[in-house]
Amino acid sequence: MNSDSQAIENNRVQPLWQTLTTELLNIFDAHGICSVVAYEVALFTQTTTIVGISDPHRKYYDVWICDADGNIQQTRWENKKSSFDKLIDAGCVVVQEKFTVQPNELVKSELWRLPKEGILSVPLPSAGRYTAVTPPGIICLVDPQSDGSITADNINELAMQTTMALDRAYLRQQVDRQEIEFAVVSDISHALTSTLSLQNIYTQLMEPVRRTLNVGSISVGLLEQTTGDIIFVDMLMGDLFADIPTIRLKSGEGIAGWVVDKSTPVIVNDVYRDNRFYAGVDRSSGFLTESMACIPLRVEEKVIGVMQAINKKNGEFNENDLRLLQAIGGPLAAAIENAQLHTQVLSEKRRIETIFTSMSEGTVTINSEGQITQANEAMISLLFNEPTPQDSLIGQLANDAIRLKSGSLNEFIERVKNDEDEYPQLATDLYPQQGTPVPVLLSGAPILNADNEFSEMIFVFSDLRQIREVERMRDDFFHGIIHELRTPLATILMYARLLREGKAQEKEKADRFLGVIERESDRLQKMVRQMLELAKMESREFQRGTEPVDLNPMFEEMLPPLADRASEKGLTFRQKIQPELSPIIGNPDMYYLIFKNLIDNAIKFTLTGTVRVDAWQENGSILVKVQDEGIGIPKQALPNLFGRFFRAQTAVERGIAGTGLGLYMVKEAVENYNGTITVSSTQGKGTTFTVQLPITEY
């Protein structure tokens, strides 16, 4: 075509270029551009016009078909049936006559159903002066008229103009998508930094990421440091995984294991063709994994887990998806690490607080200014004799609130500060707000901060009252033992001397002297035997026994002599023993000791009245109750009644002999056989002991 003809033809299509330029100027939507181009070209040329644009992965084409009357139809053709590929791949204007097309292509083609004679086509983007961003596309004129305004010579300009408009639209789309992605990443990063709850982190993260990437699901797997396994978070897996065990991948197993080992992100658009994929999860859940983008979650250089985007809904995963995942993965990993550290710190804080508050010793912490920062309940009990709020000491100067008999607390604080090798201690008395001083052992230790500088001190006040009470009872015991030994020994010695000096010439008198010696010897022997039994108990040498013990014969042997003793003392002795009690497992000598001690005590501490012994079987246990109408036990003595060496003040004041070991030995023996012993008493009215022993099947 000569230059004059070219000029005439260009003038002829000029109105189309002007119309398209005006209409496309303010359109930033690719579909809108394709629709306008198809419509205007069809009206201008009075020829059916087709515009087709492929998806980014070239699996289908969005197609606009407009006839000469301006009737436009939008549809979607699968790539295999569109027949666009050959025309696009030609890379230039093509005039294709229908009779030259292969018959099999004519049958399956959507395009070749439209023309009768042929098609004039030009690919998009056109081969122009720059690299286009528009995906593959095409403009086709169906059965173009020979005198039409659009020809093979000027259709390239149409393609160029269309491509420029489409490039602008796709660039705008990319910018909009990047702005959305940036906003999503920004919102997620902000959300992740504003919470330390793992559950909140997962719920705030997953749905925005899933929507932005347009994927079926998002999953997070965390690395178990002890085993190296990857454990996936249950709450993110969805309903299909609700009834199966927690998903756990061994070290290096699956694509996730590979990503952790290599610390490298990966895209797999067909997982079942990848040898790294572990299909066991799909088999157990019924879920079908098709594609995956997986990134490592890193904190500095340490991999703590993986994040996976699964099943891209529109096309395939690309590098942009991977970049978006990585942009989210950094804040996510940091948030998970912070949340886990926060959980560990809270757990450790609760553990320390539990230890601190539950210590039986009074404990306080004091800051560098000498103020109390924490005090446990035991410390409050030491300082106050009435219920006091636990925070009543907080903020007070320690030296003012805690008064010591020996020196001041400030002096001891200085010792703690300056003693580098060992923790100093101080035995002193603590003055409570009211009442008598409390003997305590004071210990202290400095608490250093991260810079190894003194920040706080902790002080422990060990209450020595119980130890002092044990020491007192021990002293009373030894004094009592000395007294108990001295009396029978003096009696034995006196009557032995009388016999040796011939003061008992008559047989009756000699027998009486020998009877006294025998009785006092038995008393000494009983005391020695009791001490030996105590020694065995203390060393855990006595055996529990595995033989069945029948209590009825034991009571038949034990009770008559005790009844005689009670009668001699002027007491009423009653007994009610259920016949044929079930046997219990144990040692008969130990059971004899238990009940003999209890009945002996009842007779000993009853001046007038009745002593009663009952034994019966109930709910798989043998119960034995020893009840008296004696002097009773003071209420304040009941908590220490079964203590070693303990004797109630009423017994001491009345001069009733004893070592303070009987009830201690009874309780130890009963509990040794998995039994229980309880006591109820009213001073001046009597006492009741109840022993419960389990019947053991054998």
Side-chain angles (χ1 to χ4, degrees):
M1 181 180 294
N2 57 38
S3 58
D4 292 338
S5 300
Q6 182 70 45
I8 293 170
E9 193 168 300
N10 287 342
N11 289 333
R12 190 180 298 168
V13 298
Q14 193 66 30
L16 176 61
W17 306 148
Q18 291 176 353
T19 300
L20 287 176
T21 300
T22 301
E23 291 199 27
L24 297 180
L25 183 63
N26 296 314
I27 299 177
F28 295 95
D29 173 61
H31 285 199
I33 292 170
C34 293
S35 177
V36 168
V37 170
Y39 177 80
E40 294 297 343
V41 172
L43 288 183
F44 183 78
T45 61
Q46 288 297 294
T47 302
T48 298
T49 303
I50 302 171
V51 178
I53 293 291
S54 143
D55 73 290
H57 306 286
R58 211 161 175 176
K59 291 184 175 180
Y60 59 84
Y61 284 88
D62 286 317
V63 179
W64 290 261
I65 306 170
C66 188
D67 62 21
D69 295 327
N71 299 313
I72 192 166
Q73 173 190 0
Q74 182 180 353
T75 186
R76 177 170 288 180
W77 290 348
E78 292 184 14
N79 187 34
K80 294 179 181 180
K81 296 182 179 182
S82 68
S83 297
F84 286 146
D85 283 355
K86 288 183 180 180
L87 301 176
I88 292 174
D89 293 342
C92 60
V93 178
V94 173
V95 178
Q96 180 75 51
E97 295 179 349
K98 187 171 183 177
F99 74 89
T100 63
V101 179
Q102 296 295 325
N104 61 337
E105 187 176 353
L106 288 174
V107 172
K108 66 180 182 180
S109 172
E110 300 281 358
L111 174 64
W112 288 107
R113 294 176 185 174
L114 299 176
K116 294 179 180 180
E117 297 179 1
I119 288 176
L120 171 64
S121 68
V122 62
L124 300 173
S126 64
R129 293 164 292 179
Y130 61 94
T131 302
V133 296
T134 302
I138 196 167
I139 299 176
C140 299
L141 273 63
V142 177
D143 295 328
Q145 301 177 20
S146 58
D147 59 347
S149 300
I150 300 295
T151 66
D153 294 323
N154 61 19
I155 197 171
N156 264 327
E157 294 187 25
L158 174 61
M160 180 67 71
Q161 191 174 11
T162 305
T163 299
M164 291 174 62
L166 287 171
D167 283 351
R168 185 183 60 189
Y170 278 107
L171 286 172
R172 178 66 174 268
Q173 181 181 335
Q174 288 182 10
V175 170
D176 290 345
R177 185 178 67 247
Q178 288 172 356
E179 287 181 355
I180 293 171
E181 291 174 354
F182 178 79
V184 169
V185 172
S186 177
D187 290 345
I188 290 173
S189 298
H190 176 73
L192 293 178
T193 56
S194 64
T195 181
L196 290 172
S197 164
L198 280 174
Q199 184 169 359
N200 290 341
I201 287 171
Y202 296 138
T203 54
Q204 292 174 9
L205 171 75
M206 293 307 122
E207 189 57 25
V209 176
R210 190 189 65 77
R211 287 199 311 267
T212 303
L213 288 173
N214 195 22
V215 296
S217 66
I218 297 290
S219 63
V220 171
L222 299 181
L223 191 64
E224 190 175 60
Q225 298 298 328
T226 54
T227 63
D229 292 354
I230 302 172
I231 303 173
F232 284 86
V233 180
D234 290 337
M235 63 177 293
L236 303 179
M237 302 307 296
D239 295 339
L240 283 174
F241 299 84
D243 297 326
I244 66 173
T246 298
I247 296 174
R248 176 187 289 262
L249 297 180
K250 297 294 183 183
S251 177
E253 189 173 43
I255 293 173
W258 184 90
V259 167
V260 168
D261 285 352
K262 303 298 182 183
S263 189
T264 303
V266 68
I267 292 175
V268 182
N269 279 313
D270 190 347
V271 295
Y272 278 91
R273 290 189 177 183
D274 194 301
N275 293 331
R276 296 169 295 184
F277 179 65
Y278 174 69
V281 177
D282 282 11
R283 288 194 296 269
S284 60
S285 66
F287 183 83
L288 179 61
T289 305
E290 297 173 347
S291 58
M292 178 189 302
C294 184
I295 65 164
L297 297 176
R298 281 192 293 257
V299 177
E300 296 181 346
E301 298 302 318
K302 182 180 71 172
V303 177
I304 67 167
V306 295
M307 179 165 65
Q308 297 179 149
I310 301 172
N311 292 352
K312 184 79 170 178
K313 290 185 176 180
N314 184 11
E316 297 180 341
F317 286 107
N318 54 42
E319 292 299 322
N320 185 67
D321 298 326
L322 203 61
R323 283 193 294 271
L324 179 59
L325 272 179
Q326 289 176 307
I328 297 168
L332 173 62
I336 291 174
E337 182 80 354
N338 290 340
Q340 289 178 331
L341 290 174
H342 178 68
T343 301
Q344 292 173 8
V345 169
L346 283 182
S347 177
E348 183 66 15
K349 181 175 181 291
R350 292 191 189 99
R351 188 179 71 87
I352 292 173
E353 286 177 348
T354 301
I355 293 173
F356 186 87
T357 56
S358 62
M359 287 179 65
S360 59
E361 294 86 0
T363 308
V364 296
T365 55
I366 301 172
N367 63 18
S368 57
E369 304 299 323
Q371 295 174 321
I372 297 174
T373 56
Q374 197 65 260
N376 69 352
E377 191 171 331
M379 190 67 201
I380 299 296
S381 299
L382 283 175
L383 290 175
F384 302 97
N385 294 325
E386 56 187 25
T388 305
Q390 199 164 339
D391 59 354
S392 58
L393 291 175
I394 307 303
Q396 293 190 40
L397 289 174
N399 193 61
D400 295 340
I402 302 173
R403 295 176 298 125
L404 305 178
K405 181 178 180 180
S406 303
S408 68
L409 185 61
N410 280 343
E411 293 174 357
F412 188 72
I413 289 174
E414 291 302 318
R415 282 182 58 190
V416 174
K417 285 182 179 179
N418 299 325
D419 201 329
E420 298 179 355
D421 298 328
E422 57 186 46
Y423 302 127
Q425 293 183 327
L426 174 65
T428 183
D429 286 349
L430 173 69
Y431 289 101
Q433 297 295 326
Q434 294 178 348
T436 58
V438 179
V440 295
L441 177 65
L442 173 58
S443 306
I447 301 173
L448 305 180
N449 60 21
D451 297 325
N452 207 33
E453 297 174 346
F454 164 75
S455 61
E456 274 188 309
M457 285 179 290
I458 185 167
F459 293 94
V460 178
F461 294 78
S462 300
D463 189 347
L464 301 181
R465 283 178 294 189
Q466 189 172 4
I467 296 175
R468 296 282 174 85
E469 180 63 17
V470 170
E471 290 175 348
R472 184 195 66 77
M473 289 191 295
R474 182 195 60 195
D475 293 343
D476 290 347
F477 167 73
F478 283 117
H479 290 145
I481 285 292
I482 291 170
H483 176 74
E484 291 292 319
L485 290 173
R486 179 187 298 166
T487 300
L489 283 173
T491 302
I492 291 171
L493 182 60
M494 180 184 68
Y495 279 94
R497 284 175 177 171
L498 289 174
L499 287 171
R500 188 179 63 180
E501 293 172 359
K503 301 294 184 180
Q505 296 294 331
E506 299 87 356
K507 183 178 184 303
E508 181 181 349
K509 195 173 185 178
D511 288 342
R512 184 162 55 85
F513 283 8
L514 289 173
V516 171
I517 292 173
E518 184 179 13
R519 186 173 61 253
E520 295 300 322
S521 297
D522 287 341
R523 183 178 171 189
L524 284 175
Q525 188 178 30
K526 177 183 176 182
M527 293 175 61
V528 171
R529 186 165 56 247
Q530 193 178 48
M531 296 298 294
L532 289 174
E533 291 293 343
L534 174 64
K536 288 181 180 180
M537 284 186 174
E538 294 290 335
S539 63
R540 302 296 177 188
E541 289 181 2
F542 71 102
Q543 301 296 317
R544 291 184 59 178
T546 58
E547 297 297 323
V549 177
D550 192 346
L551 295 181
N552 290 97
M554 178 185 297
F555 284 126
E556 290 173 3
E557 177 187 350
M558 178 195 304
L559 294 180
L562 292 170
D564 291 343
R565 278 185 50 203
S567 298
E568 290 173 1
K569 194 176 177 182
L571 305 177
T572 301
F573 190 90
R574 300 180 185 275
Q575 63 182 49
K576 185 179 180 181
I577 310 300
Q578 179 180 321
E580 299 181 357
L581 292 169
S582 295
I584 55 177
I585 298 299
N587 185 323
D589 293 337
M590 195 56 63
Y591 287 132
Y592 192 92
L593 177 147
I594 293 170
F595 300 121
K596 180 77 163 28
N597 261 294
L598 291 176
I599 301 170
D600 262 340
N601 280 351
I603 296 171
K604 183 192 301 183
F605 292 104
T606 302
L607 305 181
T608 60
T610 302
V611 172
R612 182 181 180 90
V613 179
D614 293 284
W616 71 98
Q617 185 171 322
E618 181 180 294
N619 296 329
S621 297
I622 300 296
L623 289 97
V624 179
K625 181 163 67 175
V626 179
Q627 186 175 6
D628 66 58
E629 296 176 351
I631 63 175
I633 303 167
K635 185 176 181 180
Q636 63 271 22
L638 287 174
N640 300 315
L641 186 63
F642 295 102
R644 187 174 53 172
F645 311 135
F646 179 81
R647 298 189 68 220
Q649 196 63 30
T650 51
V652 176
E653 291 171 354
R654 290 174 179 267
I656 300 174
T659 61
L661 292 174
L663 289 179
Y664 169 76
M665 294 172 65
V666 166
K667 186 172 187 294
E668 288 289 307
V670 167
E671 292 181 348
N672 181 60
Y673 294 116
N674 299 323
T676 60
I677 181 170
T678 57
V679 58
S680 62
S681 182
T682 302
Q683 192 170 359
K685 293 185 177 181
T687 303
T688 300
F689 286 91
T690 304
V691 175
Q692 182 177 5
L693 295 165
I695 297 172
T696 305
E697 299 294 335
Y698 59 93

